[in-house]
């Protein structure tokens, strides 16, 4: 943050510490300064944090793989969600990323299966349909067991473009295609909301 | 950040991922949300970041030790700074923490030796003189080679209390005891400075 480049480039500790700092600095939300703080914290908590974290990283790097069916990350393929007999296999929730699966699982609101696209269509970033896991989605729908596909994509331009593209593709398949409701978030105060959300919430208003 | 406890407690991914997330969340500046983001980032960059970071952590946990002379962290004991023949052994800079050594080394402004206290005196936190590496400092000064001790402690109440305590202890040793200048930091605008700093800078004003 505002410190000259030369300061961050200069090696001031042993190569082992410098290497640790430079790797920690590559984590999202970390910079050179917070990476140094994290490295010191780790060196102080060697037995309780540093060694366990090192092992957890090695362990996860070795064991975690992508589910060939839905794209989730797990030690098993198919993943624990895909093979869970208590989940409803007739409803499929399409999300962009593994973090969306985690968010929906935390909410406990969904008990069907997932399909992770791996991104959204974006002319700007050059992401085309063939870059996403759309073929796999159509193949799963083509098996005939799925009755409903919930498009749980972000309410952004790219997210909605992707949702429309998928809705078009699925139109002839005979499955019901739905999307998440848009409106006022829980705890959301009206004067903090953008106009688009207010407009959507007003248009989709319901009788109490 | 404001999310209910139940959300962060609920296991939504495989135990290996959950363990990784909970360890990452213990790093300074990380919370449950940023730890999940970091874990996903790591899983995506398995070869380039996850495995190297795991190795760097194991490597550092195994090799890095505390220098028995100055308290610095290094693979060697005494550390690289203590045994560097190009450094001036007659001037000793007393700092609170390893991060202070790194900051001074980055600045390139100091080429003497260091002594790391490991904390500051604090009645509130119950940190007494015997909890700090003060005995080692007096022993080093007692060897007779050191001519000047620079007390580079924070300009906080605890830092200055500790500095006064050390200055009293060193008063009879015959070494010159100095402290860092206080004043306006480089690039500091006057109307963003606190009154204490302005007062100190004005009292220590110099002829141009």
């Amino acid at each position: 943050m505002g410190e000259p480049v030369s300061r961050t480039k200069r090696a001031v500790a042993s190569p082992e510490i410098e290497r640790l700092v430079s790797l920690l600095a590559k984590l999202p939300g970390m910079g050179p300064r917070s990476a140094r703080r994290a490295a010191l914290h780790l060196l102080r908590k060697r037995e309780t944090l540093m060694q366990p974290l090192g092992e957890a990283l090695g362990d996860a790097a070795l064991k975690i793989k992508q589910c060939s069916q839905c794209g989730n990350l797990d030690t098993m393929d198919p993943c624990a969600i895909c093979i869970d007999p208590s989940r409803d296999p007739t409803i499929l929730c399409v999300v962009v990323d593994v973090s969306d699966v985690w968010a929906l699982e935390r909410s406990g609101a969904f008990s069907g299966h997932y399909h992770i696209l791996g991104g959204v269509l974006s002319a700007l970033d050059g992401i085309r349909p063939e870059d996403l896991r759309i073929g796999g989605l159509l193949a799963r729908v083509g098996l005939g067991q799925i009755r409903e596909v919930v498009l749980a994509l972000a309410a952004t331009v790219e997210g909605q473009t992707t949702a429309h593209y998928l809705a078009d593709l699925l139109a002839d398949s005979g499955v019901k295609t739905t999307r998440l409701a848009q409106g006022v978030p829980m705890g959301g105060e009206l004067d903090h909301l953008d106009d688009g959300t207010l407009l959507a919430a007003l248009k989709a208003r319901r009788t109490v």
Side-chain angles (χ1 to χ4, degrees), chain A residues 119-189:
Chain A
V120 281
L121 297 177
S122 167
L124 215 64
D125 299 330
I127 298 174
R128 297 151 306 168
E130 52 268 39
D131 299 321
L132 306 180
R133 306 180 79 251
I134 293 175
L137 171 64
L138 296 178
R140 288 178 81 180
V141 170
L143 293 173
Q145 195 184 23
I146 292 158
R147 283 187 297 108
E148 179 180 349
V149 171
V150 186
L151 299 171
L153 307 182
T156 58
V157 174
E158 280 96 353
Q160 294 311 299
T161 306
T162 312
H164 279 127
Y165 179 84
L166 293 177
D168 281 349
L169 280 183
L170 294 167
D172 301 329
S173 65
V175 300
K176 188 174 156 193
T177 310
T178 56
R179 65 167 177 79
L180 295 185
Q182 287 177 0
V184 183
M186 289 297 156
E189 290 182 58

Side-chain angles (χ1 to χ4, degrees), chain A residues 178-199:
Chain A
T178 56
R179 65 167 177 79
L180 295 185
Q182 287 177 0
V184 183
M186 289 297 156
E189 290 182 58
L190 291 197
D191 62 345
H192 290 136
L193 286 177
D194 61 299
D195 296 348
T197 304
L198 270 182
L199 189 69

Side-chain angles (χ1 to χ4, degrees), chain A residues 18-77:
Chain A
E18 292 290 341
R19 176 157 169 257
L20 181 59
V21 169
S22 74
L23 286 168
L24 285 170
K26 287 181 185 166
L27 292 179
M30 285 264 190
R33 189 177 291 264
S34 48
R36 284 195 299 268
R37 224 172 63 223
L40 266 185
H41 185 80
L42 285 161
L43 283 163
R44 283 199 202 97
K45 311 221 166 208
R46 222 169 281 212
E47 269 85 46
T48 55
L49 187 53
M50 194 173 203
Q51 283 171 350
L53 182 58
E55 285 162 19
L57 285 165
D59 206 35
L62 214 69
K63 289 188 193 163
I64 303 293
K65 37 188 168 264
Q66 195 174 48
C67 173
S68 55
Q69 194 164 324
C70 73
N72 192 14
L73 293 171
D74 201 350
T75 47
M76 300 182 278
D77 180 16

